[in-house]
């Protein structure tokens, strides 16, 4: 069964998304569509519901009500196990701190999602090296996260998010811990790599200049979409 109110061709859609924490609404009935390969900045004041929207769409959190559709499948009704599998196979994630495993090398960090999804080590490492090369990290595959600069570590996180060819990448303040120049270079690398792979990108950010540089901006206020802006 499909929802007749979904946007045609959308890779990911949310309808009537509500998320509460106690009596407080983080999301108060949001509708959103993400097209294949689309890059969207999600902006708004602290506490407006930006990260909650990201986590609900990605299946990290369950909405209290509403529907989430991924290419014709209603994924909010999936079990926790199936949603976990979905996050490993169809979604990629880039967080502010990178969240790399400190004991693993750059190539091992990138290969990890593919290994968890059942891929062979040889194939996973080969794909990891390919993506690290594309992101300007050739020759640094064997370095540990502590041996990389902040920008390099975020590029490793980007490679990790892309190596299994996800349909959607969720990025939560991916440049928040970087200086302005490094942050912009890192964001450019993320968007270029995502575009090359055909993945859509949703970026939560407080960086106004970054948001204004994105093709589309969705502003969240009090758990609702306040405006939609398109370039």
């Amino acid at each position: 069964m499909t929802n007749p109110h979904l946007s045609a061709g959308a890779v990911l859609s949310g309808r009537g998304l509500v998320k509460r924490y106690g009596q407080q609404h983080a999301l108060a009935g949001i509708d959103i569509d993400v097209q294949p390969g689309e890059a969207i900045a999600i902006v708004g004041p602290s506490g407006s519901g930006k990260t909650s929207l990201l986590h609900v769409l990605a299946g990290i959190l369950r909405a209290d009500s509403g529907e989430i559709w991924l290419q014709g499948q209603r994924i909010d009704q999936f079990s926790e196990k199936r949603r976990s599998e979905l996050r490993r196979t169809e979604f990629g994630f880039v967080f502010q701190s990178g969240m790399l495993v400190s004991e693993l090398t750059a190539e091992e960090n990138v290969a990890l999602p593919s290994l968890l999804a059942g891929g062979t080590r040889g194939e996973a490492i080969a794909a990891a090296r390919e993506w690290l090369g594309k992101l300007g990290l050739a020759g640094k595959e064997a370095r540990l996260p502590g041996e990389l600069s902040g920008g390099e570590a975020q590029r490793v996180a980007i490679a990790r998010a892309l190596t299994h060819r996800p349909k959607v990448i969720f990025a939560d303040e991916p440049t928040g811990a970087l200086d302005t120049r490094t942050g912009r270079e890192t964001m450019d690398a993320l968007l270029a790599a995502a575009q090359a792979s055909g993945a859509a990108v949703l970026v939560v950010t407080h960086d106004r200049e970054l948001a204004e540089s994105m093709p589309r901006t969705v502003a969240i206020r009090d758990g609702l979409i306040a405006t939609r802006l398109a370039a």
Side-chain angles (χ1 to χ4, degrees):
M1 181 182 293
T2 59
N3 186 324
H5 301 293
L6 296 180
S7 174
V11 63
L12 182 68
S13 296
R15 287 293 178 274
L17 297 177
V18 173
K19 180 64 180 176
R20 303 181 190 88
Y21 298 101
Q23 298 301 312
Q24 182 69 33
H25 274 88
L27 304 177
I30 282 182
D31 294 344
I32 188 169
D33 294 302
V34 182
Q35 300 300 320
E38 187 174 26
I40 303 174
I42 301 175
V43 301
S46 296
S48 60
K50 304 184 301 299
T51 295
S52 292
L53 176 60
L54 210 69
H55 287 179
V56 165
L57 288 172
I60 296 171
L61 295 175
R62 280 194 182 274
D64 293 307
S65 61
E67 301 177 4
I68 303 169
W69 295 79
L70 178 70
Q71 291 190 324
Q73 293 188 89
R74 186 174 171 185
I75 62 174
D76 61 284
Q77 295 182 325
F78 283 5
S79 66
E80 177 55 39
K81 180 180 179 181
R82 288 190 69 190
R83 289 189 296 129
S84 179
E85 291 171 352
L86 194 74
R87 292 193 294 271
R88 291 198 301 267
T89 58
E90 306 296 344
F91 296 153
F93 299 90
V94 182
F95 300 100
Q96 179 174 333
S97 63
M99 295 183 70
L100 301 178
V101 180
S102 60
E103 296 84 3
L104 299 182
T105 65
E107 66 182 24
E108 289 170 337
N109 266 285
V110 176
L112 191 57
S114 297
L115 292 171
L116 292 174
T120 67
R121 180 175 175 81
E123 292 174 344
I125 291 295
R129 290 174 179 171
E130 178 182 357
W131 276 108
L132 289 170
K134 289 178 180 179
L135 287 161
L137 294 174
K140 299 183 179 181
E141 297 89 347
R143 293 193 182 183
L144 296 171
E147 298 171 329
L148 300 169
S149 70
E152 289 171 342
Q154 279 299 72
R155 286 173 184 251
V156 172
I158 291 168
R160 181 183 59 190
L162 284 159
T163 187
H164 56 291
R165 302 280 180 178
K167 293 182 174 66
V168 184
I169 295 171
F170 298 92
D172 193 357
E173 298 285 358
T175 64
L178 305 174
D179 63 73
T180 301
R181 178 179 175 181
T182 303
R184 195 52 42 87
E185 290 174 350
T186 300
M187 198 63 216
D188 288 346
L190 169 58
L191 294 177
Q195 185 177 43
S197 70
V201 183
L202 279 76
V203 180
V204 165
T205 182
H206 282 98
D207 185 332
R208 179 173 295 182
E209 290 186 9
L210 169 60
E212 290 176 350
S213 72
M214 298 278 284
R216 179 181 166 200
T217 298
V218 172
I220 307 293
R221 184 176 293 276
D222 298 326
L224 293 167
I225 292 179
T227 59
R228 291 183 179 86
L229 304 174

